[in-house]
Amino acid sequence: QVQLVESGGGLVQPGGSLRLSCAASGFMVSRSAMRWYRQAPGKERELVGGISSTGSFTNYADSVKGRFTISRDNAKNTVYLQMNSLKPEDTAVYYCNRPGPVNYWGQGTQVTVSS
């Protein structure tokens, strides 16, 4: 049974950093592309970025490029989203996603950037 559990969200001041984790079970992240999405209040869910199944390639939305980094730890079967230089507009619920014929989602973790 595929399961994704996000953690690491919280309240941070502008310019601060957070690292989100997505612990996977029921499949191996080392063999799967993975993505991070976010959804701000009143807005549609948007793609933040992704990592390829080989782990060799990552891509990011223009709004986070240069500030966010996606990585994974195969031994822990976990994918990470390192977020630096956070801005108030980064405030959202962040979701981990395994794309495929069936899309799997985590429950989300709230990130609030505010002074």
Side-chain angles (χ1 to χ4, degrees):
Q1 181 179 353
V2 172
Q3 198 169 18
L4 300 171
V5 179
E6 299 97 334
S7 62
L11 174 64
V12 62
Q13 292 187 342
S17 298
L18 280 176
R19 188 178 78 159
L20 306 184
S21 300
C22 172
S25 57
F27 72 101
M28 297 171 66
V29 298
S30 60
R31 296 184 179 182
S32 181
M34 298 292 294
R35 296 174 181 164
W36 284 95
Y37 286 78
R38 67 185 181 186
Q39 187 165 19
K43 295 188 177 181
E44 293 188 356
R45 193 171 295 189
E46 65 171 354
L47 177 65
V48 173
I51 185 167
S52 65
S53 57
T54 63
S56 300
F57 302 101
T58 54
N59 65 292
Y60 302 93
D62 287 344
S63 57
V64 307
K65 202 171 292 183
R67 300 187 298 121
F68 290 12
T69 303
I70 297 173
S71 63
R72 72 187 189 194
D73 185 329
N74 294 337
K76 294 183 178 180
N77 212 34
T78 299
V79 179
Y80 302 99
L81 178 65
Q82 177 68 45
M83 305 185 295
N84 299 328
S85 302
L86 283 161
K87 305 174 182 180
E89 51 263 44
D90 295 317
T91 295
V93 178
Y94 284 72
Y95 297 92
C96 181
N97 166 257
R98 181 197 178 196
V102 177
N103 259 306
Y104 292 97
W105 298 90
Q107 83 288 352
T109 185
Q110 175 71 48
V111 172
T112 302
V113 185
S114 175
S115 55

